[in-house]
């Protein structure tokens, strides 16, 4: 994660304060957004725990506006903003302010829209590692989750050969298929290795990939 | 000015903007009368008259997928013949073939199951399309049944059926009676439309002198009562809500809205404002929503005088006041989600908080816009917000 840019945080979110001693960001996020002809003006009090070893970043909604039984939360009550893999990849080259703008704002809009209209405006991810695989399928532009996992596995092995059949199962050579995405990911191999290892761990625990 | 007065003014003004204009009304009237003449000139005697919102004075511009669409105006085209001597195919094809043979209509005709649409809007000729509903008077046997079930003699005389086309199959629809419904509605609406009529019509005349020669020239359509505007408010709010929750095809039909609103208003003073009628209807509907959480017997003992909508043995019932064969909420029994959506929609109509809370201008207009459509509110009231537009967002997860 990039080092916290306090000025950017203050400019983008004037009601959030960085508390250095506690390694937290506390304060209010105000919505002033419009989606699908609906305007959102509500605000939420949040607490973000900054711990560079902790993925995903823990964020709590402390104004208790969100209903207790809302499904997109971890057991400890922190908010499940998006698939963990998606957030990790985003934070690799974006700031915390950008993360708040993209994921936290979206989460609250999603919650309010769902409460009023009964549907998730942007959809939602499936439970557990299914959600992560769903994200990978979109990220790799694969036809399904199994093919996405095969691409991930190929990256883990790390031996790129352009004339091989693409691991996505298209029977087309890699250099005419997923070449750009695979090379891009190989440049961030350590990140994708971690993702691969996590998925395998989850599979060993729950056996449901 | 307090919130309530301002809201009344603003709602009335906005409804005016989504209603049809005097020019459009005149244009539509000329067009449907021309259709009648075309049929007459070809030897077909017809009774041609508006039905639905066009007849009741409650038209609103359709809203779908957050966009304003062109108007659809319903016209009954009643062939004057005995039903027993015709087939639905006969009736249907008579209307269609006659119009098709006229070069003016040929490129505008579109066939749908219950109507033949003349698409003036599609060819850029007008801001509306006309839906012609080919129909015929009910037969004597059915009229006798309606009489037995409680219709008056006047009412049975206007009972009709539609010639329906489903791909290659033709059939008669169930009995409908738009003329009787209009009479019923007019009876309730008259005290409201008579209230301050002179002032209202004078104002209209002043701003439309290019169209009307005198006040008497102005069609009654434009003598808009608070009851009619309350109905227009609900129709528009319905379109917006059911567009945003992706359940547009499950939205409550306009007849449900106008029947409930008229029934509630008939017990209110004729000088009631639009907001007062709206609030009373919302209050009543919240009570009927209790049917979802109470047993039928508990509801009846708690709310014995609430009989507009009822539930008997799990079946939702709201009878058409002028058609004893028509349960307006029967589709809720085929698809129980419809009842859920209906009452959830009602719970989002937070008029009370707009009236009672201390809010700034932006919050005020956003609250109205979230019910009736923000794009139109911004345009109509010329308000500019500094909101950030979101086109796509992220998907929340559960670990």
């Amino acid at each position: 994660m990039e080092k916290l840019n306090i000025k950017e945080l203050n400019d983008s979110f004037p009601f959030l304060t960085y508390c250095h001693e506690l390694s937290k960001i506390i304060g209010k996020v105000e919505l002033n957004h419009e989606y699908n002809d609906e305007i959102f003006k509500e605000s939420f009090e949040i607490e973000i725990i900054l711990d560079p070893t902790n993925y995903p970043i823990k964020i709590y909604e402390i104004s208790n506006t969100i209903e207790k039984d809302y499904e997109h939360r971890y057991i400890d009550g922190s908010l499940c903003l998006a698939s963990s893999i998606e957030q990790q990849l985003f934070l690799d080259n974006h700031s915390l302010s950008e993360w708040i703008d993209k994921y936290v704002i979206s989460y609250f809009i999603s919650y309010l829209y769902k409460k009023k209209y009964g549907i998730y405006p942007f959809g939602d991810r499936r439970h557990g590692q299914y959600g992560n695989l769903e994200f990978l399928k979109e990220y790799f532009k694969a036809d399904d989750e199994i093919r996405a996992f095969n691409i991930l596995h190929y990256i883990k092995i790390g031996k790129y050969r352009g004339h091989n059949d693409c691991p996505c199962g298209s029977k087309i050579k890699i250099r005419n298929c997923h070449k750009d995405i695979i090379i891009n990911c190989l440049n961030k191999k350590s990140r994708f290795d971690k993702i691969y290892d996590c998925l395998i761990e989850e599979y060993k625990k729950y056996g449901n990939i | 000015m307090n919130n309530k007065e301002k809201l009344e003014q603003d709602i009335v003004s906005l409804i005016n903007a989504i209603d049809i204009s005097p020019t459009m009304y005149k244009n539509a009237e000329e067009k449907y009368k021309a259709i009648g003449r075309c049929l007459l000139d070809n030897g077909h005697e017809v009774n041609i008259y508006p039905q639905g919102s066009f007849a009741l004075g409650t038209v609103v511009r359709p809203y779908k997928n957050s966009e304003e669409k062109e108007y659809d105006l319903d016209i009954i085209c009643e062939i004057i013949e005995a039903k027993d001597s015709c087939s639905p195919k006969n009736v249907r094809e008579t209307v269609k073939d006659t119009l098709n043979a006229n070069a003016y209509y040929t490129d505008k005709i579109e066939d749908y199951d219950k109507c033949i649409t003349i698409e003036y809007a599609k060819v850029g000729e007008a801001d509306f399309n006309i839906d012609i509903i080919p129909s015929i008077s009910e037969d004597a046997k059915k009229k006798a049944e309606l009489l037995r079930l409680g219709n008056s003699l006047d009412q049975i005389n206007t009972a009709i059926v539609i010639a329906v086309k489903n791909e290659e199959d033709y059939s008669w629809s169930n009995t409908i009676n738009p003329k009787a419904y209009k009479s019923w509605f007019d009876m309730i609406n008259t005290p409201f439309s008579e209230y301050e009529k002179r002032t209202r019509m004078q104002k209209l005349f002043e701003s439309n002198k290019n169209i009307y020669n005198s006040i008497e020239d102005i069609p009654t359509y434009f003598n808009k009562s608070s009851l009619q505007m309350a109905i227009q408010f609900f129709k528009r709010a319905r379109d917006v809500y059911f567009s945003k929750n992706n359940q547009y095809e499950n939205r409550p039909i306009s007849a449900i809205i106008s029947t409930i609103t008229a029934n509630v208003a008939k017990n209110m003073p004729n000088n009631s404002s639009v907001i007062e009628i709206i609030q009373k209807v919302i209050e009543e509907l919240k009570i009927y929503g209790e049917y979802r959480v109470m047993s039928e017997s508990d509801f009846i003992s708690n709310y014995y005088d609430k009989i507009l909508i009822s539930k008997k043995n799990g079946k939702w019932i709201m009878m058409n006041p002028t058609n004893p064969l028509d349960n307006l909420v029967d589709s809720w029994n085929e698809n129980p989600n419809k009842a859920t959506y209906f009452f959830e929609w009602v719970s989002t109509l937070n008029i009370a908080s707009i009236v009672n809370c201390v809010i700034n201008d932006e919050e005020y207009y956003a609250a109205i816009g979230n019910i009736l459509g923000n794009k139109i509110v911004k345009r109509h009231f010329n308000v500019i917000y500094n909101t950030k537009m979101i086109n796509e967002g992220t998907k929340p997860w559960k670990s």
Side-chain angles (χ1 to χ4, degrees):
Chain A
M1 185 167 72
E2 291 177 8
K3 188 174 174 331
L4 176 63
N5 183 334
I6 296 177
K7 182 174 185 318
E8 187 193 10
L9 183 73
N10 290 335
D11 289 343
S12 311
F13 300 100
F15 303 109
L16 290 179
T17 318
Y18 171 58
C19 180
H20 177 76
E21 307 80 49
L22 300 171
S23 227
K24 278 185 191 180
I25 293 172
I26 305 183
K28 196 168 59 162
V29 156
E30 280 192 343
L31 297 182
N32 193 22
H33 294 72
E34 192 171 336
Y35 170 76
N36 198 22
D37 212 26
E38 181 85 8
I39 291 179
F40 303 91
K41 284 194 165 293
E42 288 84 347
S43 54
F44 296 85
E45 302 266 345
I46 59 169
E47 197 177 272
I48 301 174
I49 317 293
L50 295 176
D51 178 349
T53 62
N54 212 7
Y55 267 136
I57 298 178
K58 286 229 176 289
I59 170 172
Y60 296 89
E61 187 258 324
I62 58 178
S63 34
N64 290 322
T65 306
I66 296 187
E67 280 164 8
K68 297 245 173 316
D69 58 359
Y70 185 58
E71 56 183 336
H72 291 295
R73 265 210 257 246
Y74 291 100
I75 295 171
D76 66 357
S78 60
L79 311 181
C80 262
L81 303 178
S83 101
S84 51
I85 295 177
E86 181 180 351
Q87 291 184 75
Q88 286 164 21
L89 288 169
F90 185 84
L91 284 162
D92 278 348
N93 39 31
H94 291 89
S95 67
L96 194 80
S97 299
E98 286 170 314
W99 172 83
I100 297 173
D101 193 46
K102 184 174 165 97
Y103 291 99
V104 178
I105 299 289
S106 228
Y107 181 92
F108 290 135
I109 289 176
S110 221
Y111 171 76
L112 292 167
Y113 197 98
K114 165 79 167 148
K115 192 157 170 237
K116 188 171 177 186
Y117 296 107
I119 58 170
Y120 288 108
F122 319 120
D124 68 331
R125 293 264 178 239
R126 287 180 301 166
H127 181 83
Q129 295 312 314
Y130 291 117
N132 271 325
L133 280 168
E134 219 178 77
F135 168 72
L136 281 175
K137 176 187 139 196
E138 289 163 23
Y139 187 83
F140 290 141
K141 297 190 194 352
D143 284 345
D144 58 45
E145 281 134 29
I146 295 178
R147 288 167 211 258
F149 184 78
N150 289 340
I151 293 174
L152 183 67
H153 180 72
Y154 186 85
I155 293 163
K156 171 79 176 174
I157 295 174
K159 291 199 177 105
Y160 177 81
R161 300 280 184 275
H163 60 268
N164 285 158
D165 279 354
C166 187
C168 80
S170 64
K171 298 202 195 318
I172 301 172
K173 298 200 191 311
I174 300 180
R175 61 172 169 249
N176 296 324
C177 197
H178 279 90
K179 172 189 167 192
D180 289 344
I181 294 173
I182 289 176
I183 289 185
N184 203 354
C185 293
L186 283 168
N187 289 336
K188 302 180 236 177
K189 189 172 187 313
S190 59
R191 162 60 69 213
F192 284 93
D193 283 354
K194 275 198 195 122
I195 290 173
Y196 178 88
D197 293 342
C198 271
L199 280 173
I200 295 296
E201 271 304 308
E202 288 291 323
Y203 173 69
K204 285 179 185 165
K205 258 193 244 171
Y206 305 109
N208 57 4
I209 287 180
Chain B
M1 203 192 311
N2 66 21
N3 276 5
K4 194 168 178 184
E5 284 163 5
K6 179 162 166 54
L7 187 63
E8 178 76 12
Q9 253 183 33
D10 288 343
I11 298 272
V12 167
S13 166
L14 193 62
I15 287 171
N16 256 320
I18 56 175
D19 201 340
I20 50 174
S21 64
T23 314
M24 205 184 308
Y25 182 93
K26 197 161 177 220
N27 195 359
E29 198 179 42
E30 279 164 14
K31 283 178 155 57
Y32 84 72
K33 285 184 173 166
I35 291 167
R37 270 196 311 275
C38 174
L39 287 156
L40 204 60
D41 290 348
N42 281 277
H44 304 296
E45 261 204 84
V46 293
N47 237 341
I48 193 152
Y49 52 91
Q51 79 134 5
S53 55
F54 199 12
L56 303 181
T58 56
V59 175
V60 293
R61 184 184 279 277
Y63 172 106
K64 202 173 167 188
N65 299 329
S66 318
E67 295 294 330
E68 308 290 337
K69 302 286 182 206
E70 62 272 349
Y71 294 90
D72 287 310
L73 303 173
D74 284 354
I75 304 291
I76 298 281
C77 180
E78 195 187 319
I79 304 282
I80 305 195
E81 282 225 38
K83 181 181 169 208
D84 294 334
S85 63
C86 292
S87 69
K89 183 172 181 180
N90 248 164
V91 168
R92 183 80 188 207
E93 298 305 308
T94 298
V95 174
K96 185 173 171 204
D97 293 347
T98 310
L99 293 172
N100 222 1
N102 183 320
Y104 175 70
Y105 295 112
T106 323
D107 63 339
K108 299 181 182 77
I109 293 182
E110 201 63 53
D111 238 337
Y112 294 98
D113 56 351
K114 285 192 170 166
C115 66
I116 294 162
T117 302
I118 309 292
E119 296 185 326
Y120 300 101
K122 191 168 164 197
V123 301
E125 212 181 281
D127 206 8
F128 57 85
N129 298 317
I130 287 185
D131 291 335
I132 301 170
I133 301 167
S135 45
I136 199 163
S137 187
E138 258 297 10
D139 57 51
K141 186 171 170 207
K142 185 61 82 177
K143 285 182 177 175
E145 183 188 350
L146 289 167
L147 200 59
R148 264 196 324 273
L149 289 170
N151 265 163
S152 68
L153 277 168
D154 277 340
Q155 286 174 331
I156 62 167
N157 283 337
T158 53
I160 57 176
V161 281
I162 305 172
V164 178
K165 180 179 175 180
N166 203 335
E167 300 195 351
E168 289 312 312
D169 290 319
Y170 296 85
S171 57
W172 297 121
S173 71
N174 290 331
T175 312
I176 61 168
N177 204 336
K179 270 190 173 162
Y181 189 87
K182 175 165 165 61
S183 297
W184 171 82
F185 180 79
D186 283 348
M187 187 185 65
I188 295 176
N189 189 46
T190 301
F192 293 91
S193 61
E194 285 301 304
Y195 177 72
E196 291 189 342
K197 177 178 175 179
R198 191 81 204 154
T199 323
R200 210 164 31 243
M201 295 307 258
Q202 186 65 41
K203 238 181 171 168
L204 250 171
F205 177 63
E206 295 300 325
S207 35
N208 286 292
K209 277 186 167 152
N210 55 326
I211 309 177
Y212 307 119
N213 295 320
S214 67
I215 290 187
E216 287 67 38
D217 268 353
I218 307 175
T220 48
Y221 181 91
F222 293 103
N223 178 25
K224 206 66 53 135
S225 69
S226 53
L227 165 55
Q228 286 164 308
M229 294 199 127
I231 292 173
Q232 287 174 300
F233 167 88
F234 283 115
K235 285 173 64 173
R236 174 64 178 207
R238 165 205 61 187
D239 286 353
V240 170
Y241 182 86
F242 283 86
S243 180
K244 291 183 186 176
N245 76 343
N246 280 353
Q247 295 294 337
Y248 196 73
E249 67 284 359
N250 286 320
R251 69 196 188 285
I253 57 173
S254 299
I256 292 176
I257 289 173
S258 42
T259 304
I260 288 172
T261 311
N263 270 317
V264 169
K266 80 177 183 226
N267 300 318
M268 294 179 74
N270 69 340
N271 63 346
S272 297
S273 68
V274 182
I275 299 293
E276 281 164 351
I277 298 178
I278 290 170
Q279 286 189 288
K280 189 79 188 140
V281 170
I282 292 172
E283 204 182 285
E284 288 284 304
L285 286 176
K286 284 190 169 151
I287 293 174
Y288 288 108
E290 296 281 294
Y291 260 123
R292 294 183 298 154
V293 295
M294 274 184 180
S295 71
E296 288 166 27
S297 49
D298 279 350
F299 184 94
I300 293 169
S301 49
N302 277 298
Y303 304 114
Y304 58 87
D305 58 338
K306 301 297 176 200
I307 55 171
L308 267 182
I309 306 174
S310 59
K311 220 173 166 195
K312 287 198 172 87
N313 301 321
K315 190 177 163 191
W316 290 100
I317 301 171
M318 186 171 100
M319 295 316 290
N320 181 325
T322 58
N323 184 346
L325 295 170
D326 183 15
N327 175 5
L328 292 171
V329 294
D330 204 25
S331 62
W332 294 6
N333 299 315
E334 290 157 25
N335 179 1
N337 286 331
K338 280 186 160 179
T340 308
Y341 298 139
F342 177 80
F343 290 109
E344 279 181 1
W345 162 57
V346 170
S347 74
T348 67
L349 300 172
N350 56 343
I351 293 291
S353 62
I354 303 176
V355 166
N356 299 323
C357 296
V358 175
I359 48 179
N360 64 38
D361 274 359
E362 226 183 84
E363 285 167 336
Y364 168 82
Y365 286 113
I368 298 177
N370 282 345
I371 299 176
L372 300 177
N374 279 293
K375 284 192 195 125
I376 199 169
V377 161
K378 283 187 220 176
R379 206 166 54 229
H380 184 72
F381 296 107
N382 210 13
V383 289
I384 301 171
Y385 306 139
N386 60 350
T387 48
K388 184 173 175 183
M389 204 65 78
I390 305 266
N391 294 318
E392 53 178 13
T394 53
K395 298 180 185 181
W397 185 49
K398 25 195 176 206
S399 67

